């Protein structure tokens, strides 16, 4: 395993593995025994960065979520896991009532909401401090200043370490960080967005935003990350839910760009040269390059996890990376 540092403040920054494990379906669609086995193997391989959310996975049973955090709490206690494992969670998108969703009844990002769900997440996870807490989705019904101050209060109290944002417009992230900096408060340092080797169409109307998909890495966010190298990008769904390799998982229309066939061919060519799988090449491409990301991978079987773990040791040659980067 390899590691990198996230965050800049010595009081809150953490060293994490360059591959993050998503626990979205642990405790719901993925049963406890398999979830424990995957978590154990990930840690055995040197993994230290686990991702969850307070609303995972409400859609499985029509509830409000919390199953993933609860399972991670049980796993931590049963294994004696302590601060050596960094667990990131999110708030803001938990449905306020069973049978609803973040689209029509989300908890939001008011100061009160930030405090109370964070406390519940700490209880479910069995931790005194949340290592990394994300604002999961935007809440434009609340003044951004209130959201910034609400998160900063928890950092000041020591119940939260690093702050992050997911599925936010780049200008909203920048505005929040500017407000925090002007007030001498901690701001977002980790950004979690969808990124893969195949770019997705961020112009398509989204459930979250009529102006397009805010959760995908587009030109604005890439430009922002280049200008702010202290920020960390965590790339979710890098393997497109199996679409790179499984015939029963076709690519969605979000990836229907003229470059897609050529980029898929480049992936297959590099995979053949390196003796790796296409999925491993995608992860290796994200891990290296000009704007390295931390891939966030899910796994419902040991084989899926092992494939992802092996990608950490895959070194693409300069020629291979040039081939991948310049194919459009």
């Amino acid at each position: 395993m390899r590691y990198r540092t996230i965050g800049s403040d010595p009081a809150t920054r953490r060293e994490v593995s360059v591959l993050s494990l998503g626990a979205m379906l642990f405790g719901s669609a993925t049963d406890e025994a398999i979830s424990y086995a995957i978590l154990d193997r990930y840690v055995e391989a040197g993994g230290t960065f686990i991702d969850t959310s307070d609303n995972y996975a409400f859609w499985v049973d029509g509830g409000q979520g919390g199953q993933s955090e609860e399972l991670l709490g049980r796993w931590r206690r049963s294994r004696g896991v302590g601060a050596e494992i960094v667990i990131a969670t999110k708030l803001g998108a938990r449905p306020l009532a069973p049978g609803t969703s973040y689209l029509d009844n989300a908890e939001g990002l008011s100061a009160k909401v930030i405090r109370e769900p964070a406390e519940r997440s700490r209880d479910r996870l069995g931790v005194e401090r949340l290592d990394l807490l994300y604002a999961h989705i935007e809440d434009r019904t609340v003044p951004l200043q209130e959201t910034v101050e609400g998160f900063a209060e928890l950092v000041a109290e020591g119940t939260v370490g690093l702050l992050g944002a997911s599925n936010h417009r780049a200008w909203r992230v920048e505005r929040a960080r500017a407000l925090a900096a002007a007030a001498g408060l901690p701001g977002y340092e980790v950004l979690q967005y969808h990124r893969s080797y195949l770019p997705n169409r961020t112009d398509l109307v989204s459930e979250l935003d009529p102006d397009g998909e805010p959760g995908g890495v587009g030109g604005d966010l890439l430009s922002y990350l280049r200008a702010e190298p202290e920020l960390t990008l965590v790339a979710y769904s890098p393997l497109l839910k199996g679409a790179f390799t499984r015939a029963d998982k076709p690519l969605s229309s979000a990836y229907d760009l003229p470059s897609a066939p050529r980029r898929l061919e480049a992936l297959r060519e590099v995979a053949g040269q390196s003796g790796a799988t296409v999925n491993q090449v995608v992860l290796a491409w994200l891990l290296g390059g000009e704007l390295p990301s931390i891939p966030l991978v899910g796994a419902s079987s040991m084989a899926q996890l092992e494939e992802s773990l092996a990608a950490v040791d895959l070194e693409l040659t300069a020629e291979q990376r040039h081939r991948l980067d310049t194919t459009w």
Side-chain angles (χ1 to χ4, degrees):
M1 186 57 70
R2 292 184 282 126
Y3 302 89
R4 61 179 290 186
T5 299
I6 58 174
S8 56
D9 187 335
T12 56
R13 68 189 180 198
R14 297 298 304 271
E15 184 178 68
V16 298
S17 54
V18 296
L19 187 75
S20 180
L21 177 64
M24 177 188 286
L25 298 178
F26 290 178
S28 54
T30 305
D31 69 31
E32 189 145 324
I34 295 174
S35 300
Y36 275 37
I38 291 170
L39 287 162
D40 290 344
R41 173 61 187 132
Y42 173 71
V43 172
E44 179 187 52
T48 63
F49 195 15
I50 299 171
D51 184 86
T52 185
S53 174
D54 71 348
N55 72 341
Y56 291 163
F58 76 87
W59 56 91
V60 173
D61 62 4
Q64 293 173 270
Q67 303 99 310
S68 176
E69 289 183 332
E70 290 168 355
L71 181 136
L72 288 172
R74 293 192 297 273
W75 171 75
R76 288 184 71 259
R77 288 189 293 273
S78 70
R79 303 301 194 255
V81 169
E84 71 277 8
I85 302 299
V86 174
I87 297 181
T89 194
K90 313 175 193 73
L91 57 76
R94 181 179 168 93
L96 290 174
T100 62
S101 82
Y102 56 80
L103 296 175
D104 59 359
N105 198 25
E107 60 192 357
L109 293 174
S110 69
K112 181 175 184 291
V113 163
I114 289 169
R115 176 169 295 277
E116 294 178 357
E119 290 176 356
R120 289 192 290 269
S121 287
R122 287 194 294 116
D123 288 342
R124 284 190 288 264
L125 291 166
V127 297
E128 294 183 1
R129 182 171 83 164
L130 299 172
D131 299 309
L132 168 57
L133 180 61
Y134 292 100
H136 202 163
I137 59 174
E138 292 186 18
D139 180 2
R140 299 195 187 183
T141 69
V142 172
L144 198 50
Q145 185 78 37
E146 178 180 344
T147 297
V148 168
E149 292 175 353
F151 278 116
E153 285 180 5
L154 301 187
V155 176
E157 294 167 6
T159 57
V160 171
L162 292 166
L163 299 174
S166 181
N167 306 306
H168 283 53
R169 290 289 181 195
W171 70 266
R172 294 276 293 180
V173 174
E174 169 57 19
R175 185 167 294 180
R177 295 182 71 238
L179 287 169
L185 300 174
Y188 300 140
E189 295 190 83
V190 185
L191 306 183
Q192 186 180 130
Y193 287 77
H194 170 49
R195 192 185 189 201
S196 184
Y197 179 66
L198 288 186
N200 61 307
R201 293 186 55 189
T202 56
D203 62 309
L204 297 176
V205 174
S206 162
E207 294 176 322
L208 292 172
D209 191 330
D211 294 322
E213 174 54 59
V217 173
D220 281 349
L221 192 63
L222 287 173
S223 178
Y224 185 52
L225 289 164
R226 285 192 178 91
E228 304 290 341
E230 75 279 8
L231 296 176
T232 300
L233 176 64
V234 174
Y236 71 75
S237 298
L239 302 180
L240 308 185
K241 301 178 181 180
F244 282 114
T245 57
R246 292 177 55 176
D248 62 329
K249 298 277 188 176
L251 288 169
S252 77
S253 59
Y255 306 95
D256 185 16
L257 291 166
S259 62
R262 293 188 292 273
R263 285 176 77 82
L264 287 170
E265 178 58 32
L267 277 178
R268 290 190 285 265
E269 178 184 309
V270 172
Q273 291 173 351
S274 57
T277 67
V278 167
N279 284 339
Q280 288 168 341
V281 173
V282 171
L283 296 178
W285 179 79
L286 286 167
L287 284 165
E290 182 186 0
L291 286 172
S293 308
I294 296 178
L296 171 57
V297 297
S300 59
S301 70
M302 202 64 70
Q304 290 174 351
L305 176 64
E306 295 291 354
E307 181 183 27
S308 294
L309 288 171
V312 175
D313 296 323
L314 176 60
E315 293 289 345
L316 299 176
T317 67
E319 292 77 13
Q320 289 171 337
R321 189 166 290 281
H322 179 76
R323 169 83 165 98
L324 294 170
D325 289 344
T326 58
T327 298
W328 289 100

